[in-house]
Amino acid sequence: MADDKDVLRDVWFGRIPTCFTLNQDEVTEREAEPYYLLLPRVSYLTLVTDKVKKHFLKVMKAEDVEEMWFEYEGTPLKWHYPIGVLFDLHASNTVLPWSITVHFKSFPDSDLLHCPSNSVIEAHFMSSIKEADALKHKSQVVNDMQKKDHKQLWMGLQNDKFDQFWAMNRKLMEYPTEEGGFRYIPFRIYQTMSDRPFIQKQFRPVSPEGNVHTLGSLLKEMYPAAIPSDGEQKRYQVMIHGIEPLLETPLQWLSEHLSHPDNFLHICIIPTPTD
């Protein structure tokens, strides 16, 4: 299991300074001031924006308010992706604070899932954890947990309690030493240049010959364009939690240390900035 607690802590406490402004088409009784917030990378937009909603509702009439949703430079932001993934995918090379526009009208049904309550976020989060454990341990660990253990994972995320979350998540990161890693690595590869939401396939942390698979081996198979050929200029950045890990990093180590709380390794592939 992951013994590098500092890395886990750094990942958990990663924050993105963000400025929320109300869309100019919204009807307000007086001017709406922007609202500033440090967003946790590992959480979900709809889980951490109650204060944002309260702030803007002060200047609006109840009849002008429908479901709140967020947009960045014309792109509706999918609340069911972790905040860090949204930032890395759409805004990683912009000047901070991240500038998000808030809407209370014209919900884009074709682009976003509705999120009427926190229980919808909890259901999405727990289904991701179960899917990840099916890949890692054939669901044995998550099925051995009690309902209160599942709740502890969720409450740890919802209330931003690192120790509470990891006391339970630790079990999901264990594996028999002789196996050298999980059965499969739960990962998703995102790119803005594609209509596919993400790439997700079965991939083992160790090859049949016993060689350790790295981030480079995963990309070579799933997205070869992300690896520059000899002498070629780097066309893409491969980001996990806002950093570019070395391609030689073992995938098993990344899965244990840089997965999001949903137990998936979220990898963003973005074009290298040209400036």
Side-chain angles (χ1 to χ4, degrees), residues 88 92 237-245 266-270:
D88 291 345
S92 56
Q237 290 177 301
V238 179
M239 312 274 279
I240 305 177
H241 289 293
I243 57 170
E244 291 183 78
H266 295 274
I267 303 164
C268 294
I269 297 181
I270 52 175

Side-chain angles (χ1 to χ4, degrees), residues 36-67:
Y36 292 86
L37 201 57
L38 281 172
L39 292 179
R41 272 184 160 272
V42 298
S43 194
Y44 299 93
L45 269 176
T46 40
L47 191 57
V48 293
T49 45
D50 275 353
K51 289 176 182 171
V52 176
K53 188 174 187 176
K54 281 181 188 144
H55 171 77
F56 290 120
L57 290 187
K58 286 177 196 161
V59 299
M60 299 179 73
K61 288 189 179 137
E63 62 265 28
D64 295 322
V65 174
E66 292 164 24
E67 185 172 347

Side-chain angles (χ1 to χ4, degrees), residues 92-204:
S92 56
N93 291 305
T94 56
V95 178
L96 291 170
W98 186 18
S99 194
I100 292 180
T101 305
V102 181
H103 295 259
F104 287 98
K105 278 259 193 303
S106 313
F107 191 94
D109 290 287
S110 56
D111 295 309
L112 299 182
L113 300 173
H114 285 278
C115 184
S117 70
N118 280 3
S119 60
V120 177
I121 314 169
E122 181 179 2
H124 166 73
F125 174 68
M126 287 314 302
S127 88
S128 292
I129 281 193
K130 288 172 183 173
E131 187 181 348
D133 199 54
L135 291 164
K136 291 199 283 193
H137 308 110
K138 296 186 180 171
S139 301
Q140 285 161 350
V141 180
V142 84
N143 287 348
D144 283 346
M145 287 180 172
Q146 298 176 2
K147 201 164 172 56
K148 68 176 175 59
D149 301 335
H150 292 177
K151 206 73 185 166
Q152 182 171 332
L153 288 165
W154 165 247
M155 295 306 283
L157 176 71
Q158 179 177 261
N159 300 327
D160 194 20
K161 301 285 188 211
F162 173 82
D163 292 321
Q164 180 184 359
F165 176 81
W166 268 102
M168 196 51 64
N169 198 54
R170 200 169 50 75
K171 298 178 182 178
L172 292 165
M173 292 295 174
E174 288 167 352
Y175 57 87
T177 316
E178 66 276 8
E179 287 177 21
F182 303 137
R183 193 161 142 263
Y184 296 106
I185 297 289
F187 73 90
R188 287 179 182 154
I189 294 175
Y190 304 80
Q191 64 230 352
T192 49
M193 310 74 71
S194 162
D195 292 335
R196 273 178 84 173
F198 47 76
I199 299 167
Q200 179 182 334
K201 294 179 181 169
Q202 291 185 344
F203 196 81
R204 294 186 186 273

